[in-house]
């Protein structure tokens, strides 16, 4: 039986019965198996073809409001068709690890660790497999932060495994007090003068003092998720000498990323050119990024020369480059022409190594402009830095390259032939549906995850066989590591829920003539048991240059389906994986084509599936640009009557405000005007941005609205949401605002994220009168 509706306190979002059912459902979902995440692979012995695999996963501990991580280890013998489980243990890495990397041989590992007594200290440790810790070096006088992310990269090894390079933060200078120091003195009153040179060190030019009145000069960082990263530089660590130095010669306003060694100890890196202002870089690739090379590494400024640019000056974007193992070929993603969207359809390029003077990159894979048809298995390469991090050559091959991308809302893994310029979808499990995602690749072994909307995530090892001559395509054999069965030992409520999610959940596709589409998921058993249509929640992705997966087994989607809701997930024009023309159709037309696509997809779903969806109980929810579209839909004269309630997660609501406050103002000019960023804008521009803002139609909003806002959101700063909340309240609209201190755009803090997800469920359980078929029996009246 469904929940009973009861009286509740003025601050309670749902009735006691609904609350108990939502809490029970949340606990049941969180008891499910952790999703396989990153994977590490290595040969347990030198020369062995056995493969050891470690797969990390995590679950949420609701009582401790924390993440519980574990590692599952498997041995796959040479020629074996089955994996041997070795262990499953809690992931308990030594504390304070900032970054770590193991060399290709597996013999040596470098770890960067925060100091045990002072977390501002940074130490580099060298560990050898047969010895343990062999050396440590304090480096916080050289760099105050080690960058370890998908944008700037992590630790990278030289071929001989004696050097490691990485991006680190140049420390702020020590500021000398202004008062109490003589005008001609370089030291402050309380500062001891430096000891005289003993003659053993190299003479250095005396640096002018940094006075304290420079301390508060504005220093901007690289935006959301990259806070505090202000002054990146390339650093090299020599394991033999146990010394570190900063590579000199990177020009001003050129910010290095993802360094790696060539065969002779030189460094190749990508660098973003931002001459005026640092802009947000994460999930934003519409920047001028070139490939550069230092043949010789200079430790002193006097010895430095500028790096050689490998891509032409008019070549707009080159990123996530990688060498083949022999360092004879360099492959990267990019675009020659400038674009303004934060992601686009990327080409793949190749360069011979070493690169002869005057050699232009060869285009290996062209962008795909047209909307794909059913049956097409490649729509081009889309994504961001993180998408292409696992990409690389197979084993010793300099011809075959692995990469992943979306195709019509399904992630897929592709084999790229850089000689014949061909791309092949690797359908390892021979399933047309579902999502394939690379978890790790090393040599001739690949680990991938597979799941679909009604299948738990499974993990598999692929053994890759390549011809010695590199003249024929590789062959693949798959070994299962983790299956997709509902695990034994679950609590009865969790077992009931996961059995339903994997057996009785159905999906239908709704499509418009322009290519926009949505996926309707619902529990057929709940629909049959109710004997009437289900309430529906429309879910809209952010970006806007991203896509909602049609086939992922996602916690939030399963939560809504488990509540007895039909869930309509939307991909509007501007979404990735549907051809470049489909993506570019949004530029300059936000608040128009994306709104129309969402509204018309909802109408089409109501028309085509009236036996599934209750037209009087339709809610809408989205985050970031999805929140922007939610704000538009509930205020739009043509579409607002479709919705009975809404929720907005860090939404864009006022473009004129966002133009001045966000870390990516280029988003406003790209999506609002289809133009590159111009800091000076006119009254006409301001009027245009206002007309494209959900605030322009807020007077029409009547349906209840929940707002979930991170107070430290740099991408979509929070003040617009607070003002929107009070505007709704002033109009008599049922509105609720939750703010999460110190949380950013994704509200990633574990306690905050659990709370936000819980309140979403409580809100829609109440406002849509959700059936809540799983979990507790109703409370006795």
């Amino acid at each position: 039986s469904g929940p009973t509706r009861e009286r509740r306190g003025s601050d309670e979002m749902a009735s006691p019965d609904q609350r108990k059912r939502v809490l029970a459902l949340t606990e049941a979902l969180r008891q499910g198996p952790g999703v396989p995440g990153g994977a590490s692979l290595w040969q347990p012995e030198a020369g062995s073809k056995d493969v050891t695999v470690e797969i990390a996963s995590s679950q949420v501990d609701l009582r401790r409001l924390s993440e519980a991580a574990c590692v599952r280890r498997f041995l796959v013998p040479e020629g074996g068709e089955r994996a041997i489980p070795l262990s499953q243990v809690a992931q308990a890495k030594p504390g304070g690890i900032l970054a770590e990397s193991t060399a290709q041989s597996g013999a040596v590992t470098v770890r960067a660790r925060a100091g045990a007594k002072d977390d501002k200290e940074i130490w580099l440790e060298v560990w050898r497999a047969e010895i343990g810790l062999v050396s440590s070096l304090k480096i916080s006088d050289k760099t105050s932060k080690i960058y370890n992310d998908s944008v700037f990269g992590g630790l990278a090894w030289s071929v001989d495994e004696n050097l490691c390079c990485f991006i680190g933060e140049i420390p702020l200078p020590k500021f000398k007090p202004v008062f109490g120091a003589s005008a001609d003195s370089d030291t402050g009153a309380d500062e001891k003068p430096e000891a005289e040179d003993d003659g053993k060190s190299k003479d250095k030019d005396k640096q002018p003092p940094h006075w304290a009145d420079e301390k508060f000069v504005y220093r901007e960082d690289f935006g959301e998720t990259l806070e505090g990263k202000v002054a990146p530089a390339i650093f090299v660590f020599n394991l033999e000498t146990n010394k570190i130095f900063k590579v000199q010669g990177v020009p001003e306003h050129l910010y290095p990323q993802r360094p790696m060694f060539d065969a002779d100890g030189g460094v190749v890196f990508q660098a973003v050119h931002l001459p005026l202002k640092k802009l947000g870089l994460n999930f934003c690739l519409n920047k001028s990024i070139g490939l550069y090379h230092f043949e010789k590494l200079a430790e002193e400024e006097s010895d430095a020369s500028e790096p050689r640019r490998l891509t032409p000056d008019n070549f707009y974007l080159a990123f996530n480059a990688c060498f083949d193992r022999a360092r004879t070929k360099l492959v990267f993603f990019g675009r020659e022409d400038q674009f303004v969207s934060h992601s686009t359809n990327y080409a793949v390029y190749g360069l011979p190594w070493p690169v002869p003077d005057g050699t232009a990159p060869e285009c290996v894979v062209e962008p795909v402009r047209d909307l794909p048809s059913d049956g097409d298995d490649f729509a081009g390469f889309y994504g961001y830095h993180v998408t292409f991090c696992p990409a690389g050559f197979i084993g010793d091959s300099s011809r075959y390259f692995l990469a992943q991308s979306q195709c019509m809302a399904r992630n897929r893994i592709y084999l790229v032939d850089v000689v014949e310029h061909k791309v092949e979808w690797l359908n390892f499990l021979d399933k047309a549906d579902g999502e394939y995602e690379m978890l790790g690749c090393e040599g001739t072994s690949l680990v991938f995850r597979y799941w679909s909307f009604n299948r738990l995530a499974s993990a598999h090892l692929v053994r890759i066989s390549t011809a010695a001559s590199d003249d024929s395509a590789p062959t693949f054999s798959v070994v299962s590591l983790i299956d997709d069965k509902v695990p034994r030992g679950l609590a009865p409520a969790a077992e009931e829920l996961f059995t339903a999610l994997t057996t009785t959940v159905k999906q239908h596709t709704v499509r418009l003539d322009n290519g926009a589409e949505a996926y309707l998921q619902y529990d057929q058993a709940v629909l049959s048991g109710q004997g009437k249509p289900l309430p529906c929640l429309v879910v809209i992705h952010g970006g806007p240059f991203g896509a909602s997966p049609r086939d992922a087994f996602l916690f939030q989607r399963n939560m809504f389906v488990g509540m007895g809701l039909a869930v309509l997930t939307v991909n509007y024009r501007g979404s990735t994986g549907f051809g470049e023309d489909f993506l570019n159709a949004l530029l300059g037309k936000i608040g128009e084509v994306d709104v129309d696509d969402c509204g018309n997809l909802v109408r089409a779903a109501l028309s085509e599936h009236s036996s599934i969806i209750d037209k009087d109980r339709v809610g809408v929810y989205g985050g970031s640009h999805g929140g922007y579209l939610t704000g538009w839909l509930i205020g739009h004269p043509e579409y607002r009557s479709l919705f009975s309630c809404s929720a907005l997660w860090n939404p864009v609501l006022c473009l004129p405000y966002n133009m001045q406050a966000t870390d990516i103002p280029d988003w406003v000019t790209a999506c609002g005007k289809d133009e590159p960023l111009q800091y000076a804008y006119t009254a006409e521009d301001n009027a245009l941005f206002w007309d494209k803002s959900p605030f322009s139609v807020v007077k029409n909003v009547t349906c209840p609205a929940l707002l979930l806002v991170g107070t430290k959101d740099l991408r979509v700063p929070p003040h617009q949401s607070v003002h929107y909340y009070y505007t709704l309240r002033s109009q008599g609209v049922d509105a609720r605002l939750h703010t999460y201190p110190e949380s950013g755009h994704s509200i990633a803090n574990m306690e905050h994220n659990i709370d936000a997800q819980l309140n979403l469920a409580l809100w829609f359980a109440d406002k849509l009168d959700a059936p809540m078929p799983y979990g507790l029996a109703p409370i006795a009246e």
Side-chain angles (χ1 to χ4, degrees), residues 522-553:
Y522 63 98
D523 189 329
Q524 179 64 56
V526 176
L527 178 65
S528 300
Q530 290 287 301
K532 61 180 181 180
L534 301 174
C536 178
L537 180 60
V538 180
V539 178
I540 309 174
H541 71 76
F545 307 109
S548 289
R550 73 166 74 186
D551 266 334
F553 196 79

Side-chain angles (χ1 to χ4, degrees), residues 728-769:
L728 294 179
R729 291 284 302 276
S730 72
Q731 298 173 183
V733 175
D734 180 4
R736 189 178 180 101
L737 172 66
H738 287 238
T739 58
Y740 297 95
E742 306 303 317
S743 271
H745 194 51
S746 63
I747 312 183
N749 172 280
M750 187 57 66
E751 179 183 2
H752 296 173
N753 193 272
I754 290 171
D755 183 87
Q757 299 285 358
L758 176 62
N759 277 291
L760 272 177
L762 291 169
W763 180 258
F764 288 120
D766 179 59
K767 301 304 180 187
L768 294 176
D769 193 17

